Amino acid sequence: MTGIVRHEARLLAGIGLWVTGRTHGLGGGGRAFGYARGQGAVLAGFGFVCVVETVAMAVLLRSWPVAHTVVLVLDVYTLVFVVGLYAAWQVRPHVLGAGTLRIRGGTHVDLRVPLARIAAVRRETRHTHERADGELNLPVGSLTTVTLVLAEPVAYAGPLGRGRPVGLVRLHADDPDGLVREVAAALTRA
């Protein structure tokens, strides 16, 4: 249960960061790489459907005030959740810092990969992702654009705290060439 509460708190905090124009996790002077470009239209469409549903349910339930109130609260919560998802994608980018690549997926994923454990980084566009042991796929719109092969697995803990080792990470980046170039340069320097 605490994992769900923590997730909801991060969504709300993400809205606050997004409204104030700040980014999470860049305090150490790392370089940010976004991954959510193009997802705004999808979530805006979903939000629009939620608003239409809210209005429709208000009309349908106007004769039942208790049911109307309960459904209205749930609908407003759903809209806040959708805005929180979008905000989390915007304010929690991938971060290349000193000695670490921080790979993120909204509030769901925050994986720190030491640069010393990266054996290879390459630009690779994939549209399908099968579940496999030792792999972590973080697609955006069913697409990943960067593949990291790790020399040693790193521990990944999911949103509810269950951990597993991963040795291959596929992720999406808005500027995959820039991310691959920067990571390769950091590996060379290290």
Side-chain angles (χ1 to χ4, degrees):
M1 186 66 160
T2 59
I4 294 171
V5 172
R6 187 171 39 249
H7 177 263
E8 299 299 314
R10 287 180 183 154
L11 284 178
L12 294 175
I15 293 171
L17 289 171
W18 182 52
V19 167
T20 59
R22 296 182 319 194
T23 304
H24 180 271
L26 287 179
R31 171 120 192 266
F33 292 91
Y35 52 87
R37 187 181 311 145
Q39 290 300 305
V42 172
L43 283 179
F46 190 63
F48 175 75
V49 169
C50 289
V51 169
V52 169
E53 188 245 353
T54 301
V55 172
M57 292 306 290
V59 170
L60 291 173
L61 296 174
R62 67 181 173 261
S63 299
W64 296 281
V66 173
H68 175 266
T69 302
V70 168
V71 170
L72 180 63
V73 167
L74 291 173
D75 286 342
V76 168
Y77 171 76
T78 301
L79 282 170
V80 169
F81 189 85
V82 169
V83 171
L85 283 176
Y86 179 74
W89 290 344
Q90 296 299 318
V91 303
R92 294 176 177 269
H94 304 307
V95 179
L96 178 60
T100 304
L101 175 61
R102 191 171 183 182
I103 300 166
R104 306 210 272 186
T107 60
H108 301 96
V109 177
D110 192 350
L111 177 67
R112 295 171 196 254
V113 179
L115 293 178
R117 291 204 185 170
I118 299 175
V121 58
R122 65 180 176 267
R123 170 86 157 84
E124 179 182 42
T125 302
R126 292 184 61 135
H127 297 279
T128 58
H129 304 89
E130 306 253 341
R131 283 196 127 196
D133 286 342
E135 292 184 9
L136 177 63
N137 295 302
L138 301 171
V140 173
S142 299
L143 179 72
T144 58
T145 54
V146 176
T147 299
L148 294 171
V149 179
L150 306 182
E152 286 180 54
V154 296
Y156 163 68
L160 299 178
R162 276 183 267 145
R164 64 185 172 100
V166 294
L168 181 79
V169 180
R170 292 188 185 97
L171 59 119
H172 180 76
D174 293 338
D175 178 17
D177 295 322
L179 178 58
V180 168
R181 186 174 47 253
E182 292 286 333
V183 170
L187 291 174
T188 303
R189 286 191 301 270

